[in-house]
Protein backbone atom coordinates (compact mmCIF):
# COMPACT_ATOMS: atom_id res chain seq x y z
CA UNK A 1 0.00 0.00 0.00
CA UNK A 2 1.56 3.28 -1.02
CA UNK A 3 4.85 2.17 0.45
CA UNK A 4 8.15 3.53 -0.80
CA UNK A 5 11.45 1.69 -0.73
CA UNK A 6 11.98 2.83 2.86
CA UNK A 7 8.75 1.20 3.95
CA UNK A 8 6.73 4.38 4.12
CA UNK A 9 3.10 4.97 3.24
CA UNK A 10 2.63 8.00 1.03
CA UNK A 11 -0.56 9.94 0.55
CA UNK A 12 0.54 12.22 -2.27
CA UNK A 13 0.61 11.62 -5.99
CA UNK A 14 4.27 10.90 -6.64
CA UNK A 15 5.41 7.56 -7.95
CA UNK A 16 6.41 5.25 -5.13
CA UNK A 17 8.16 1.96 -4.71
CA UNK A 18 6.76 -1.50 -3.92
CA UNK A 19 5.08 -2.87 -0.87
CA UNK A 20 7.22 -3.51 2.16
CA UNK A 21 6.63 -5.81 5.07
CA UNK A 22 6.69 -4.38 8.60
CA UNK A 23 10.37 -5.34 8.73
CA UNK A 24 11.09 -3.16 5.71
CA UNK A 25 11.99 -5.90 3.23
CA UNK A 26 10.58 -5.40 -0.27
CA UNK A 27 7.48 -7.42 -1.01
CA UNK A 28 5.71 -6.52 -4.25
CA UNK A 29 1.96 -6.62 -3.89
CA UNK A 30 0.66 -8.82 -6.64
CA UNK A 31 -2.42 -7.44 -8.26
CA UNK A 32 -4.30 -9.13 -11.05
CA UNK A 33 -6.89 -6.42 -11.44
CA UNK A 34 -4.83 -4.42 -13.88
CA UNK A 35 -3.30 -1.96 -11.42
CA UNK A 36 0.27 -3.13 -11.97
CA UNK A 37 2.92 -2.07 -9.49
CA UNK A 38 1.29 1.22 -8.65
CA UNK A 39 1.45 2.78 -5.21
CA UNK A 40 -1.41 3.75 -2.93
CA UNK A 41 -2.51 7.32 -2.31
CA UNK A 42 -4.98 8.97 0.00
CA UNK A 43 -7.84 10.07 -2.21
CA UNK A 44 -9.99 11.82 0.38
CA UNK A 45 -11.22 11.76 3.94
CA UNK A 46 -14.91 12.36 4.36
CA UNK A 47 -17.01 13.06 7.40
CA UNK A 48 -20.15 10.98 7.41
CA UNK A 49 -22.94 11.98 7.18
CA UNK A 50 -21.62 15.44 6.34
CA UNK A 51 -22.15 16.40 2.75
CA UNK A 52 -18.68 17.82 2.20
CA UNK A 53 -15.61 16.63 0.33
CA UNK A 54 -12.47 17.16 2.38
CA UNK A 55 -8.84 17.12 1.28
CA UNK A 56 -9.36 17.56 -2.42
CA UNK A 57 -6.51 16.90 -4.77
CA UNK A 58 -5.48 20.53 -4.63
CA UNK A 59 -4.37 22.15 -1.39
CA UNK A 60 -7.64 24.00 -0.94
CA UNK A 61 -11.01 22.59 -0.01
CA UNK A 62 -13.47 21.99 -2.82
CA UNK A 63 -16.49 23.96 -1.65
CA UNK A 64 -18.65 23.50 -4.70
CA UNK A 65 -20.48 20.50 -3.29
CA UNK A 66 -20.87 21.61 0.31
CA UNK A 67 -24.41 21.56 1.65
CA UNK A 68 -24.30 23.52 4.90
CA UNK A 69 -27.37 21.80 6.27
CA UNK A 70 -25.36 18.59 6.59
CA UNK A 71 -22.15 20.06 8.03
CA UNK A 72 -20.91 18.55 11.26
CA UNK A 73 -17.54 19.06 12.87
CA UNK A 74 -15.53 15.96 13.75
CA UNK A 75 -15.12 17.06 17.35
CA UNK A 76 -18.89 17.13 17.79
CA UNK A 77 -19.56 13.68 16.36
CA UNK A 78 -22.42 11.94 18.14
CA UNK A 79 -23.18 8.26 18.54
CA UNK A 80 -25.57 8.52 15.59
CA UNK A 81 -22.73 9.64 13.29
CA UNK A 82 -20.67 6.47 13.75
CA UNK A 83 -20.42 4.52 10.48
CA UNK A 84 -21.86 1.01 10.82
CA UNK A 85 -21.45 -0.38 7.28
CA UNK A 86 -19.60 0.40 4.03
CA UNK A 87 -20.32 -1.11 0.60
CA UNK A 88 -19.25 -0.46 -3.03
CA UNK A 89 -21.77 -1.12 -5.77
CA UNK A 90 -20.99 -3.64 -8.52
CA UNK A 91 -19.20 -1.12 -10.74
CA UNK A 92 -17.42 0.70 -7.92
CA UNK A 93 -18.74 4.07 -9.13
CA UNK A 94 -20.88 4.41 -6.01
CA UNK A 95 -19.99 3.83 -2.37
CA UNK A 96 -22.69 3.63 0.30
CA UNK A 97 -22.28 4.04 4.04
CA UNK A 98 -24.82 3.51 6.78
CA UNK A 99 -24.56 4.91 10.29
CA UNK A 100 -26.04 4.37 13.72
CA UNK A 101 -28.49 7.22 13.13
CA UNK A 102 -30.27 5.23 10.40
CA UNK A 103 -28.90 7.38 7.58
CA UNK A 104 -27.49 6.21 4.27
CA UNK A 105 -24.92 8.39 2.50
CA UNK A 106 -24.01 7.51 -1.09
CA UNK A 107 -20.78 8.82 -2.61
CA UNK A 108 -20.20 8.98 -6.35
CA UNK A 109 -16.80 8.70 -7.99
CA UNK A 110 -15.57 11.89 -9.60
CA UNK A 111 -15.39 11.66 -13.39
CA UNK A 112 -12.00 12.31 -14.94
CA UNK A 113 -11.60 15.57 -16.83
CA UNK A 114 -8.80 17.07 -18.90
CA UNK A 115 -8.34 19.92 -16.43
CA UNK A 116 -8.42 17.74 -13.30
CA UNK A 117 -6.84 14.40 -14.15
CA UNK A 118 -6.00 13.65 -10.52
CA UNK A 119 -9.63 13.99 -9.42
CA UNK A 120 -10.67 10.65 -10.97
CA UNK A 121 -10.55 8.64 -7.79
CA UNK A 122 -12.22 11.11 -5.47
CA UNK A 123 -15.70 10.39 -4.17
CA UNK A 124 -18.22 13.14 -3.47
CA UNK A 125 -21.63 13.01 -1.84
CA UNK A 126 -24.28 11.85 -4.30
CA UNK A 127 -27.31 11.30 -2.08
CA UNK A 128 -28.19 11.33 1.60
CA UNK A 129 -31.42 9.95 3.02
CA UNK A 130 -32.93 8.61 6.22
CA UNK A 131 -33.37 4.89 5.76
CA UNK A 132 -34.67 3.76 9.16
CA UNK A 133 -36.27 5.46 12.15
CA UNK A 134 -36.23 4.29 15.78
CA UNK A 135 -39.23 2.13 16.66
CA UNK A 136 -40.71 0.54 19.74
CA UNK A 137 -42.22 -2.94 20.00
CA UNK A 138 -45.00 -2.47 22.53
CA UNK A 139 -45.79 -6.18 22.78
CA UNK A 140 -42.24 -7.02 23.85
CA UNK A 141 -41.37 -3.65 25.41
CA UNK A 142 -38.38 -3.60 23.10
CA UNK A 143 -36.76 -0.56 21.51
CA UNK A 144 -35.66 -1.12 17.91
CA UNK A 145 -32.65 0.95 16.96
CA UNK A 146 -32.43 2.81 13.66
CA UNK A 147 -28.80 1.70 13.17
CA UNK A 148 -28.04 0.41 9.66
CA UNK A 149 -26.53 -3.06 10.09
CA UNK A 150 -25.87 -3.90 6.43
CA UNK A 151 -26.19 -2.43 2.93
CA UNK A 152 -26.20 -4.54 -0.22
CA UNK A 153 -26.36 -3.21 -3.79
CA UNK A 154 -28.30 -4.81 -6.62
CA UNK A 155 -26.73 -4.85 -10.11
CA UNK A 156 -27.81 -1.84 -12.13
CA UNK A 157 -30.43 -2.72 -14.75
CA UNK A 158 -31.45 0.77 -15.88
CA UNK A 159 -30.71 4.40 -15.11
CA UNK A 160 -31.71 3.96 -11.46
CA UNK A 161 -29.78 2.28 -8.64
CA UNK A 162 -31.26 -0.15 -6.12
CA UNK A 163 -29.94 -1.13 -2.72
CA UNK A 164 -31.05 -3.06 0.34
CA UNK A 165 -30.58 -1.64 3.82
CA UNK A 166 -31.49 -3.25 7.12
CA UNK A 167 -31.61 -2.46 10.80
CA UNK A 168 -32.28 -5.09 13.49
CA UNK A 169 -35.78 -5.97 12.26
CA UNK A 170 -36.71 -4.45 8.91
CA UNK A 171 -35.15 -4.68 5.44
CA UNK A 172 -35.91 -1.96 2.90
CA UNK A 173 -35.36 -1.83 -0.86
CA UNK A 174 -34.44 1.69 -2.00
CA UNK A 175 -34.47 3.17 -5.47
CA UNK A 176 -32.01 6.00 -6.09
CA UNK A 177 -32.69 7.92 -9.30
CA UNK A 178 -31.86 11.21 -10.97
CA UNK A 179 -34.31 13.82 -12.22
CA UNK A 180 -33.28 16.84 -14.31
CA UNK A 181 -36.63 17.65 -15.95
CA UNK A 182 -40.00 18.59 -14.55
CA UNK A 183 -43.42 18.71 -16.20
CA UNK A 184 -45.15 22.07 -16.60
CA UNK A 185 -48.50 23.12 -18.02
CA UNK A 186 -50.91 20.89 -16.09
CA UNK A 187 -54.60 21.24 -16.84
CA UNK A 188 -56.03 20.44 -13.41
CA UNK A 189 -53.22 21.98 -11.32
CA UNK A 190 -51.65 25.40 -11.19
CA UNK A 191 -47.87 26.00 -11.23
CA UNK A 192 -47.72 25.55 -7.44
CA UNK A 193 -49.45 22.17 -7.57
CA UNK A 194 -52.83 23.25 -6.21
CA UNK A 195 -55.97 21.83 -7.82
CA UNK A 196 -57.91 24.22 -10.03
CA UNK A 197 -61.65 24.66 -10.11
CA UNK A 198 -62.81 22.57 -13.11
CA UNK A 199 -65.31 25.30 -13.98
CA UNK A 200 -62.44 27.69 -14.70
CA UNK A 201 -60.71 25.36 -17.17
CA UNK A 202 -61.64 26.43 -20.69
CA UNK A 203 -58.69 25.17 -22.74
CA UNK A 204 -56.76 21.96 -23.02
CA UNK A 205 -53.00 22.14 -22.65
CA UNK A 206 -50.35 19.52 -23.35
CA UNK A 207 -47.85 19.35 -20.46
CA UNK A 208 -44.21 19.79 -21.46
CA UNK A 209 -40.94 18.85 -19.75
CA UNK A 210 -38.65 21.71 -18.75
CA UNK A 211 -34.99 21.40 -17.67
CA UNK A 212 -34.28 21.79 -13.96
CA UNK A 213 -31.35 21.42 -11.58
CA UNK A 214 -30.28 17.82 -11.13
CA UNK A 215 -32.08 16.20 -8.22
CA UNK A 216 -31.22 12.78 -6.76
CA UNK A 217 -34.23 11.08 -5.21
CA UNK A 218 -34.24 8.07 -2.87
CA UNK A 219 -37.59 6.32 -2.57
CA UNK A 220 -38.45 3.12 -0.67
CA UNK A 221 -39.84 0.56 -3.13
CA UNK A 222 -40.29 -2.40 -0.78
CA UNK A 223 -40.39 -2.86 2.99
CA UNK A 224 -39.74 -6.38 4.27
CA UNK A 225 -40.80 -6.49 7.91
CA UNK A 226 -42.21 -8.70 10.68
CA UNK A 227 -40.20 -11.80 9.80
CA UNK A 228 -37.42 -11.78 12.41
CA UNK A 229 -37.76 -12.36 16.11
CA UNK A 230 -34.08 -11.70 16.71
CA UNK A 231 -31.65 -9.09 15.42
CA UNK A 232 -30.73 -9.23 11.72
CA UNK A 233 -26.96 -9.53 11.28
CA UNK A 234 -26.66 -10.28 7.55
CA UNK A 235 -28.38 -9.79 4.23
CA UNK A 236 -27.14 -11.26 0.95
CA UNK A 237 -28.44 -10.90 -2.62
CA UNK A 238 -28.68 -14.14 -4.58
CA UNK A 239 -26.94 -14.52 -7.93
CA UNK A 240 -30.35 -14.97 -9.61
CA UNK A 241 -31.13 -11.37 -8.53
CA UNK A 242 -34.69 -12.41 -7.80
CA UNK A 243 -34.22 -13.41 -4.19
CA UNK A 244 -32.17 -12.47 -1.16
CA UNK A 245 -31.76 -13.81 2.34
CA UNK A 246 -31.73 -12.19 5.76
CA UNK A 247 -30.17 -13.85 8.80
CA UNK A 248 -30.66 -13.27 12.50
CA UNK A 249 -29.23 -15.07 15.52
CA UNK A 250 -31.27 -18.25 15.05
CA UNK A 251 -32.96 -18.18 11.65
CA UNK A 252 -32.30 -17.41 7.98
CA UNK A 253 -35.17 -16.32 5.73
CA UNK A 254 -35.37 -16.32 1.94
CA UNK A 255 -37.24 -13.45 0.29
CA UNK A 256 -38.47 -12.68 -3.19
CA UNK A 257 -37.93 -9.04 -4.15
CA UNK A 258 -41.54 -8.77 -5.36
CA UNK A 259 -43.16 -10.25 -2.24
CA UNK A 260 -43.01 -8.32 1.03
CA UNK A 261 -45.58 -10.14 3.16
CA UNK A 262 -44.10 -13.63 2.97
CA UNK A 263 -40.68 -15.23 3.31
CA UNK A 264 -39.42 -18.80 3.49
CA UNK A 265 -37.50 -20.01 6.52
CA UNK A 266 -34.52 -21.96 5.16
CA UNK A 267 -32.47 -22.33 8.37
CA UNK A 268 -33.77 -22.64 11.92
CA UNK A 269 -31.37 -23.58 14.72
CA UNK A 270 -33.64 -22.55 17.58
CA UNK A 271 -33.84 -25.43 20.09
CA UNK A 272 -37.15 -26.53 21.59
CA UNK A 273 -35.81 -25.45 24.97
CA UNK A 274 -33.89 -22.18 24.85
CA UNK A 275 -31.86 -23.29 27.85
CA UNK A 276 -30.21 -25.80 25.50
CA UNK A 277 -29.03 -23.06 23.15
CA UNK A 278 -25.29 -23.49 22.49
CA UNK A 279 -24.60 -21.39 19.40
CA UNK A 280 -26.04 -18.59 17.28
CA UNK A 281 -25.73 -17.56 13.63
CA UNK A 282 -23.24 -14.72 13.20
CA UNK A 283 -23.09 -14.16 9.39
CA UNK A 284 -24.45 -15.60 6.15
CA UNK A 285 -23.78 -15.15 2.44
CA UNK A 286 -24.92 -16.59 -0.89
CA UNK A 287 -22.46 -18.22 -3.29
CA UNK A 288 -21.47 -15.64 -5.95
CA UNK A 289 -22.36 -17.94 -8.88
CA UNK A 290 -24.56 -20.83 -7.68
CA UNK A 291 -27.97 -19.57 -6.59
CA UNK A 292 -28.70 -22.75 -4.64
CA UNK A 293 -25.71 -22.56 -2.27
CA UNK A 294 -24.99 -20.40 0.74
CA UNK A 295 -22.86 -20.47 3.89
CA UNK A 296 -23.45 -19.32 7.42
CA UNK A 297 -21.08 -19.07 10.35
CA UNK A 298 -21.69 -19.56 14.04
CA UNK A 299 -20.45 -18.36 17.41
CA UNK A 300 -18.72 -21.72 17.85
CA UNK A 301 -16.29 -20.94 15.04
CA UNK A 302 -17.92 -23.32 12.55
CA UNK A 303 -19.08 -22.75 8.96
CA UNK A 304 -21.88 -24.65 7.25
CA UNK A 305 -22.36 -24.86 3.50
CA UNK A 306 -25.97 -25.53 2.57
CA UNK A 307 -27.69 -26.55 -0.66
CA UNK A 308 -31.30 -25.43 -1.09
CA UNK A 309 -31.86 -28.19 -3.64
CA UNK A 310 -31.54 -30.83 -0.92
CA UNK A 311 -34.58 -29.75 1.10
CA UNK A 312 -36.81 -26.78 1.75
CA UNK A 313 -35.43 -26.44 5.28
CA UNK A 314 -31.65 -26.63 5.23
CA UNK A 315 -31.38 -28.16 8.69
CA UNK A 316 -28.72 -30.52 7.35
CA UNK A 317 -25.62 -28.95 5.88
CA UNK A 318 -23.78 -30.17 2.79
CA UNK A 319 -20.36 -29.38 4.24
CA UNK A 320 -19.13 -28.51 7.71
CA UNK A 321 -15.94 -26.51 8.18
CA UNK A 322 -14.23 -26.56 11.56
CA UNK A 323 -10.64 -26.41 12.73
CA UNK A 324 -9.72 -28.56 15.75
CA UNK A 325 -8.66 -26.43 18.68
CA UNK A 326 -5.03 -26.48 19.77
CA UNK A 327 -5.04 -27.67 23.41
CA UNK A 328 -2.00 -25.51 24.18
CA UNK A 329 -4.00 -22.36 23.35
CA UNK A 330 -7.03 -23.37 25.39
CA UNK A 331 -8.15 -20.68 27.83
CA UNK A 332 -11.21 -19.17 29.49
CA UNK A 333 -11.67 -16.92 26.44
CA UNK A 334 -11.28 -19.61 23.76
CA UNK A 335 -14.97 -19.89 22.97
CA UNK A 336 -15.42 -16.13 22.77
CA UNK A 337 -12.48 -15.41 20.46
CA UNK A 338 -13.31 -18.37 18.20
CA UNK A 339 -16.70 -16.85 17.32
CA UNK A 340 -16.76 -15.89 13.63
CA UNK A 341 -17.79 -12.28 13.05
CA UNK A 342 -17.75 -12.29 9.24
CA UNK A 343 -17.79 -14.79 6.37
CA UNK A 344 -17.16 -13.95 2.71
CA UNK A 345 -17.04 -16.02 -0.47
CA UNK A 346 -14.16 -15.21 -2.79
CA UNK A 347 -15.13 -13.68 -6.14
CA UNK A 348 -14.27 -16.98 -7.82
CA UNK A 349 -16.51 -18.90 -5.41
CA UNK A 350 -13.75 -21.41 -4.66
CA UNK A 351 -12.78 -20.13 -1.22
CA UNK A 352 -14.42 -18.87 1.96
CA UNK A 353 -12.82 -16.26 4.22
CA UNK A 354 -13.75 -15.98 7.88
CA UNK A 355 -12.77 -13.50 10.56
CA UNK A 356 -12.66 -14.33 14.25
CA UNK A 357 -11.31 -12.09 16.98
CA UNK A 358 -7.60 -12.73 16.44
CA UNK A 359 -7.27 -14.25 12.96
CA UNK A 360 -8.45 -14.31 9.36
CA UNK A 361 -8.76 -17.76 7.80
CA UNK A 362 -9.17 -18.89 4.21
CA UNK A 363 -10.97 -22.18 3.59
CA UNK A 364 -11.06 -24.27 0.43
CA UNK A 365 -14.56 -25.54 -0.32
CA UNK A 366 -13.04 -28.95 -0.99
CA UNK A 367 -11.31 -29.25 2.41
CA UNK A 368 -13.42 -29.12 5.54
CA UNK A 369 -11.07 -30.20 8.33
CA UNK A 370 -8.82 -27.11 8.46
CA UNK A 371 -8.23 -23.77 6.70
CA UNK A 372 -5.61 -23.57 3.99
CA UNK A 373 -4.40 -20.17 5.24
CA UNK A 374 -4.41 -18.50 8.64
CA UNK A 375 -3.33 -14.89 9.19
CA UNK A 376 -2.71 -13.42 12.63
CA UNK A 377 -4.34 -9.98 12.77
CA UNK A 378 -3.28 -8.84 16.24
CA UNK A 379 -1.83 -11.81 18.10
CA UNK A 380 -0.16 -9.38 20.51
CA UNK A 381 -3.59 -8.93 22.14
CA UNK A 382 -3.65 -12.52 23.36
CA UNK A 383 -2.11 -11.43 26.65
CA UNK A 384 -4.69 -8.62 26.94
CA UNK A 385 -7.82 -10.75 26.65
CA UNK A 386 -8.76 -10.31 30.29
CA UNK A 387 -8.89 -6.51 30.09
CA UNK A 388 -10.54 -6.70 26.64
CA UNK A 389 -13.22 -8.89 28.20
CA UNK A 390 -13.78 -6.39 30.99
CA UNK A 391 -14.26 -3.45 28.59
CA UNK A 392 -16.38 -5.58 26.19
CA UNK A 393 -13.95 -5.10 23.29
CA UNK A 394 -13.57 -8.86 23.00
CA UNK A 395 -17.10 -8.91 21.54
CA UNK A 396 -16.27 -6.49 18.69
CA UNK A 397 -17.29 -7.79 15.28
CA UNK A 398 -14.58 -7.10 12.69
CA UNK A 399 -15.31 -7.52 8.98
CA UNK A 400 -12.97 -8.76 6.26
CA UNK A 401 -12.85 -8.20 2.48
CA UNK A 402 -11.16 -9.60 -0.62
CA UNK A 403 -9.57 -7.50 -3.33
CA UNK A 404 -10.91 -7.85 -6.87
CA UNK A 405 -8.61 -10.75 -7.77
CA UNK A 406 -8.85 -12.58 -4.41
CA UNK A 407 -5.09 -12.18 -3.97
CA UNK A 408 -5.12 -9.73 -1.05
CA UNK A 409 -7.15 -9.71 2.19
CA UNK A 410 -7.95 -6.68 4.30
CA UNK A 411 -9.39 -6.45 7.80
CA UNK A 412 -9.41 -4.01 10.69
CA UNK A 413 -7.88 -3.77 14.14
CA UNK A 414 -7.63 -1.31 17.05
CA UNK A 415 -5.98 2.10 17.25
CA UNK A 416 -7.48 2.77 13.78
CA UNK A 417 -5.07 0.19 12.34
CA UNK A 418 -6.04 -1.95 9.38
CA UNK A 419 -4.15 -4.98 8.11
CA UNK A 420 -3.51 -6.26 4.60
CA UNK A 421 -2.24 -9.74 3.72
CA UNK A 422 -0.84 -10.76 0.34
CA UNK A 423 -1.82 -14.39 -0.23
CA UNK A 424 0.89 -14.94 -2.86
CA UNK A 425 3.95 -13.51 -1.12
CA UNK A 426 2.63 -14.05 2.45
CA UNK A 427 3.67 -10.49 3.27
CA UNK A 428 1.55 -8.27 5.46
CA UNK A 429 1.42 -4.64 6.47
CA UNK A 430 -0.22 -2.61 9.22
CA UNK A 431 -1.44 0.89 8.34
CA UNK A 432 -3.31 3.56 10.25
CA UNK A 433 -6.31 5.58 9.14
CA UNK A 434 -5.50 8.69 11.11
CA UNK A 435 -7.06 12.13 10.91
CA UNK A 436 -3.77 13.68 11.98
CA UNK A 437 -1.87 12.04 9.10
CA UNK A 438 -4.41 12.56 6.33
CA UNK A 439 -3.11 15.79 4.87
CA UNK A 440 -2.32 15.86 1.14
CA UNK A 441 1.15 14.48 0.34
CA UNK A 442 1.70 13.33 3.92
CA UNK A 443 3.86 10.26 4.50
CA UNK A 444 2.40 7.47 6.62
CA UNK A 445 4.82 4.80 7.73
CA UNK A 446 3.76 1.20 8.25
CA UNK A 447 2.93 0.76 11.92
CA UNK A 448 4.38 -1.92 14.14
CA UNK A 449 3.25 -2.84 17.65
CA UNK A 450 5.89 -3.56 20.26
CA UNK A 451 5.11 -6.23 22.86
CA UNK A 452 8.32 -6.25 24.91
CA UNK A 453 9.75 -3.62 27.21
CA UNK A 454 12.07 -2.03 24.68
CA UNK A 455 10.56 -0.35 21.67
CA UNK A 456 12.00 1.44 18.70
CA UNK A 457 11.28 5.01 17.75
CA UNK A 458 8.72 4.16 15.07
CA UNK A 459 6.95 1.46 17.10
CA UNK A 460 3.93 1.75 19.36
CA UNK A 461 3.59 -0.18 22.60
CA UNK A 462 0.71 -2.59 22.95
CA UNK A 463 -0.12 -0.81 26.22
CA UNK A 464 -0.55 2.46 24.31
CA UNK A 465 -3.18 1.21 21.88
CA UNK A 466 -6.47 3.08 21.90
CA UNK A 467 -9.21 0.44 21.96
CA UNK A 468 -11.92 3.05 21.48
CA UNK A 469 -10.59 3.62 17.95
CA UNK A 470 -11.31 0.57 15.85
CA UNK A 471 -11.66 -0.28 12.16
CA UNK A 472 -14.67 -2.59 12.02
CA UNK A 473 -15.95 -1.87 8.50
CA UNK A 474 -13.96 -1.85 5.26
CA UNK A 475 -14.73 -2.25 1.57
CA UNK A 476 -12.70 -2.96 -1.58
CA UNK A 477 -13.54 -1.75 -5.07
CA UNK A 478 -14.76 -4.75 -7.14
CA UNK A 479 -12.27 -4.29 -10.00
CA UNK A 480 -9.69 -1.68 -8.99
CA UNK A 481 -7.35 -1.16 -6.07
CA UNK A 482 -9.48 1.37 -4.23
CA UNK A 483 -10.34 0.77 -0.60
CA UNK A 484 -12.69 2.46 1.85
CA UNK A 485 -11.98 2.36 5.57
CA UNK A 486 -14.49 3.54 8.18
CA UNK A 487 -13.09 5.00 11.39
CA UNK A 488 -15.79 6.30 13.73
CA UNK A 489 -17.53 9.00 11.62
CA UNK A 490 -14.64 9.35 9.14
CA UNK A 491 -14.45 7.57 5.81
CA UNK A 492 -10.94 7.19 4.37
CA UNK A 493 -10.55 6.30 0.71
CA UNK A 494 -7.21 5.08 -0.63
CA UNK A 495 -6.37 4.43 -4.26
CA UNK A 496 -3.60 2.68 -6.13
CA UNK A 497 -1.62 5.26 -8.15
CA UNK A 498 -1.14 4.31 -11.79
CA UNK A 499 1.27 6.18 -14.06
Amino acid sequence: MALNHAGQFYSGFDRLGPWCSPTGSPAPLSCETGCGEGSWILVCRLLVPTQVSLLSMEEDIDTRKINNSFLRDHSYATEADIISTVEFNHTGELLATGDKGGRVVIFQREQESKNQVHRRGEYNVYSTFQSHEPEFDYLKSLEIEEKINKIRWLPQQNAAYFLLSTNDKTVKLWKVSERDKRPEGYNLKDEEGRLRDPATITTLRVPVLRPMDLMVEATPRRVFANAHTYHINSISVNSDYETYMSADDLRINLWNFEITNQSFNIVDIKPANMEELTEVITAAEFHPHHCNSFVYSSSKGTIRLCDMRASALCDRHSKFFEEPEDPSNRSFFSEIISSISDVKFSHSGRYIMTRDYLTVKVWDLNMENRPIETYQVHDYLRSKLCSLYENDCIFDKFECVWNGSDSVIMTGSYNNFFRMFDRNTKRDVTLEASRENSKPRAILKPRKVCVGGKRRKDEISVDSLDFSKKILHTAWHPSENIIAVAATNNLYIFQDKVN
Side-chain angles (χ1 to χ4, degrees), residues 34 61 86 91 101 180 203 283 330 337 410 420 431:
I61 299 294
V86 182
T91 63
D180 58 359
T203 59
R330 179 71 183 175
I337 64 175
M410 177 173 62
M420 302 184 74
L431 296 164

Side-chain angles (χ1 to χ4, degrees), residues 32 160 168 400 441 455 480:
E32 301 164 16
D168 287 339
C400 53
R441 302 185 181 277
R455 70 179 179 90
E480 299 181 34

Side-chain angles (χ1 to χ4, degrees), residues 29 46 59 73 98 101 106 113 128 143 146 185 211 214 223 244 258 280 296 319 330 339 367 392 458 494:
L29 172 62
L46 299 145
E59 295 293 323
D73 188 86
I106 302 176
S113 65
T128 305
E143 185 177 356
E146 64 270 34
L214 178 65
V223 177
Y244 77 93
E258 301 298 325
V280 296
Y296 68 91
K319 292 188 176 183
R330 179 71 183 175
S339 176
M367 188 167 70
D392 287 341
D458 58 344
F494 301 94

Side-chain angles (χ1 to χ4, degrees), residues 124-144:
N124 288 301
V125 172
Y126 178 67
S127 177
T128 305
F129 59 92
Q130 188 75 29
S131 176
H132 287 73
E133 300 281 356
E135 301 175 30
F136 191 82
D137 189 334
Y138 293 96
L139 293 177
K140 298 180 180 179
S141 296
L142 181 67
E143 185 177 356
I144 303 172

Side-chain angles (χ1 to χ4, degrees), residues 295-487:
V295 294
Y296 68 91
S297 58
S298 80
S299 57
K300 276 192 169 182
T302 61
I303 309 106
R304 292 171 174 85
L305 177 69
C306 299
D307 190 338
M308 291 189 292
R309 297 173 298 183
S311 63
L313 183 64
C314 300
D315 51 355
R316 294 185 179 181
H317 49 266
S318 301
K319 292 188 176 183
F320 182 78
F321 301 86
E322 183 179 24
E323 183 179 23
E325 185 182 5
D326 186 356
S328 62
N329 291 331
R330 179 71 183 175
S331 71
F332 172 78
F333 306 103
S334 294
E335 291 187 7
I336 300 176
I337 64 175
S338 65
S339 176
I340 294 174
S341 58
D342 196 16
V343 59
K344 293 278 175 57
F345 269 107
S346 63
H347 294 86
S348 65
R350 171 67 185 273
Y351 304 102
I352 302 172
M353 174 171 56
T354 60
R355 171 69 203 268
D356 56 43
Y357 190 69
L358 294 178
T359 65
V360 172
K361 298 174 181 177
V362 177
W363 303 76
D364 191 319
L365 285 183
N366 297 324
M367 188 167 70
E368 304 173 48
N369 59 339
R370 60 183 177 86
I372 59 173
E373 300 165 22
T374 300
Y375 301 99
Q376 299 293 334
V377 178
H378 39 215
D379 198 52
Y380 46 79
L381 295 181
R382 197 175 291 274
S383 61
K384 301 286 184 181
L385 293 179
C386 186
S387 58
L388 291 167
Y389 176 80
E390 292 175 352
N391 62 18
D392 287 341
C393 285
I394 200 171
F395 302 105
D396 286 334
K397 301 182 184 302
F398 293 94
E399 297 177 2
C400 53
V401 291
W402 302 87
N403 74 334
S405 61
D406 300 331
S407 61
V408 183
I409 290 168
M410 177 173 62
T411 190
S413 182
Y414 293 105
N415 209 69
N416 278 356
F417 289 168
F418 60 98
R419 304 267 283 140
M420 302 184 74
F421 304 93
D422 190 313
R423 297 181 60 206
N424 296 326
T425 63
K426 305 305 179 186
R427 301 290 187 178
D428 61 84
V429 68
T430 302
L431 296 164
E432 182 181 6
S434 171
R435 188 164 63 103
E436 290 74 18
N437 298 324
S438 60
K439 295 180 181 179
R441 302 185 181 277
I443 297 177
L444 298 180
K445 296 181 180 179
R447 305 307 302 268
K448 189 173 183 181
V449 178
C450 173
V451 179
K454 295 182 179 180
R455 70 179 179 90
R456 298 178 181 177
K457 183 179 179 180
D458 58 344
E459 293 180 340
I460 181 172
S461 171
V462 66
D463 298 320
S464 302
L465 296 177
D466 187 348
F467 294 104
S468 65
K469 296 180 179 179
K470 57 194 78 172
I471 303 295
L472 300 177
H473 313 288
T474 58
W476 203 305
H477 191 286
S479 59
E480 299 181 34
N481 273 352
I482 299 176
I483 59 174
V485 177

Side-chain angles (χ1 to χ4, degrees), residues 173-188:
L173 175 66
W174 289 90
K175 176 184 178 182
V176 181
S177 57
E178 297 180 355
R179 185 155 60 93
D180 58 359
K181 294 181 176 63
R182 64 182 177 193
E184 293 183 359
Y186 286 108
N187 291 283
L188 301 179

